[in-house]
Amino acid sequence: MSHEYFNPVRSIYGAGALSSLPKLVGERRALLVTFPEAHMLGLVGRILGLLGDRLDGVIDDIRPNPDVAELHAQYEAFWHTQRDVEVIVAVGGGSAIDTAKALMVGTESGRFDDLVTALASGKPFVPARVKTLIAVPTTAGTGSEVTPWATLWDRGRQLKHSLHLKETWPTVALIDPELMLSLPAPVTLQSGLDALSHALESIWNVNANPVSDTFAVAAVHEILDALPRLIERPGDLALRGRMALAALKAGMAFSNTRTALAHSISYEMTLRYGLPHGIACSFPLPMVLERAIGRRTDRDGVLERALGRLDDAPRRLAAFIESLGVKTRFADYGVSDEQAQQMIAHALTGPRGRNFIGAGC
Ligand SMILES: [Fe+2]
């Protein structure tokens, strides 16, 4: 049996890596896409200092979980006024990078609705124009810097869209743990648990392959050890570096498998109950692990490499997550047993849920 692993993103990693940005941009015009606090944190100033007059504009009002209602104006303003920009530099968490992925693919008309209509219909979308994306994560978790996917929310219609095109791979992931030093504790925790979820979801996944497994197992080991220490010592650059690398490995793992049941559940928990992504996709992990064990011998072997003995692994995983202050039962979030069973059944039929090795059993 043969396997395939593919990831075209050039990853540059290490403290101070941001300084390679001018060389990566070259003489091209660039747009910075970032989150509102980036000004106060001095990030916008640093990027301006690095790129000088090559920086053509800044979009700095990216909110968590980008919504099509907000993206509409950003997209159309960008494609109408900044056609000379060749490179989008996305600095932030998954929301900034996902927003940049939506911006980078231009519709023929320049209208955002044409993109949303294509995503909603499931019909193939071929962008008329494409910008280059350099992704600079400031959180250790999203993995969006090494995947082609973006989640775009439509809260008005209680929907989420998945953008996934061959054009939406970032060209470069610039991973500098120094940029993560100022990350607030809740975001450090949520993004770290998101990375743990990416790693585990790539193991109990019908698309797993030996390379994604290698990345995933290494990521799980590192996150279980480093995340609790980092929560205690958020200013420790070495720990920030370890979590940044672990999140990168988890990203490399699920860049080839996509996520599975826990993420499928998370979308409903975020839309209906407002849970932050990292909590929504990690609190169900012990329950999903319990469902995964015993499904496939080869997956059991990889889960055992990641988590140790499987007989009490769900209990130990729940204890780990709860030790970080995150509850692991649906009831803790106001979801009754009956609602939870309905939600799980529905999640198993979604595109991510069907990646789970226990789907259809
Ligand atoms: Fe995630």
Side-chain angles (χ1 to χ4, degrees):
M1 186 181 179
S2 63
H3 301 277
E4 182 176 331
Y5 179 89
F6 174 74
N7 192 306
V9 183
R10 177 180 173 193
S11 301
I12 302 176
Y13 164 86
L18 184 66
S19 59
S20 54
L21 187 62
K23 209 164 143 194
L24 293 167
V25 170
E27 294 308 311
R28 296 174 293 180
R29 317 289 308 165
L31 172 83
L32 171 62
V33 175
T34 192
F35 53 104
E37 296 82 4
H39 277 282
M40 183 262 292
L41 292 168
L43 269 172
V44 175
R46 273 190 77 188
I47 305 286
L48 185 59
L50 287 165
L51 295 183
D53 59 11
R54 285 171 286 177
L55 186 63
D56 236 13
V58 180
I59 296 178
D60 58 2
D61 52 354
I62 306 302
R63 310 269 164 206
N65 303 327
D67 193 288
V68 291
E70 297 150 10
L71 273 167
H72 193 279
Q74 290 163 338
Y75 184 95
E76 297 199 353
F78 173 63
W79 281 101
H80 284 116
T81 62
Q82 284 175 302
R83 284 176 175 254
D84 291 344
V85 164
E86 291 172 85
V87 182
I88 299 178
V89 180
V91 178
S95 299
I97 300 172
D98 284 10
T99 297
K101 287 176 182 171
L103 290 176
M104 73 191 284
V105 285
T107 56
E108 186 70 53
S109 62
R111 284 198 303 268
F112 183 61
D113 285 348
D114 291 355
L115 174 59
V116 175
T117 304
L119 294 179
S121 69
K123 286 184 190 150
F125 169 71
V126 180
R129 292 165 283 274
V130 181
K131 309 292 186 186
T132 295
L133 174 60
I134 297 176
V136 186
T138 57
T139 66
T142 168
S144 187
E145 66 278 9
V146 287
T147 77
W149 311 308
T151 302
L152 310 180
W153 301 84
D154 186 345
R155 288 182 198 81
R157 293 193 292 162
Q158 289 279 291
L159 288 174
K160 81 151 189 66
H161 302 292
S162 239
L163 175 66
H164 173 205
L165 301 171
K166 66 179 171 33
E167 291 85 358
T168 46
W169 287 97
T171 301
V172 181
L174 199 48
I175 299 149
D176 186 340
E178 283 182 358
L179 303 181
M180 300 166 190
L181 282 169
S182 55
L183 206 60
V187 189
T188 300
L189 174 63
Q190 290 159 19
S191 45
L193 289 174
D194 189 21
L196 177 64
S197 187
H198 295 156
L200 289 171
E201 294 252 272
S202 75
I203 298 176
W204 52 56
N205 197 303
V206 295
N207 303 311
N209 64 61
V211 178
S212 65
D213 285 342
T214 303
F215 280 126
V217 169
V220 171
H221 288 167
E222 195 65 350
I223 294 165
L224 293 181
D225 186 67
L227 184 57
R229 297 173 197 267
L230 179 58
I231 300 299
E232 294 294 314
R233 299 204 302 277
D236 187 319
L237 182 60
L239 286 171
R240 288 284 180 193
R242 285 178 61 192
M243 273 307 296
L245 191 53
L248 174 63
K249 288 174 186 172
M252 299 294 269
F254 92 106
S255 73
N256 274 240
T257 63
R258 306 192 188 191
T259 53
L261 180 55
H263 273 70
S264 192
I265 291 167
S266 81
Y267 301 127
E268 198 164 341
M269 292 300 290
T270 296
L271 271 174
R272 276 214 220 164
Y273 297 86
L275 281 193
H277 177 68
I279 304 299
C281 71
S282 61
F283 90 85
L285 289 174
M287 178 276 293
V288 179
L289 174 62
E290 213 161 333
R291 286 172 174 251
I293 292 170
R295 297 285 183 190
R296 276 176 45 176
T297 316
D298 68 317
R299 297 298 89 203
D300 280 354
V302 181
L303 285 169
E304 194 162 3
R305 272 164 53 201
L307 295 166
R309 288 177 48 147
L310 292 186
D311 51 359
D312 70 340
R315 185 196 57 75
R316 282 185 285 109
L317 182 60
F320 172 80
I321 296 170
E322 299 235 354
S323 75
L324 298 172
V326 176
K327 302 286 188 194
T328 56
R329 295 174 312 148
F330 280 95
D332 298 318
Y333 299 94
V335 182
S336 71
D337 272 358
E338 196 189 339
Q339 288 170 319
Q341 291 315 315
Q342 281 174 2
M343 198 184 292
I344 294 165
H346 182 249
L348 280 165
T349 65
R352 299 294 182 262
R354 291 197 298 273
N355 292 336
F356 179 55
I357 52 171
C361 296

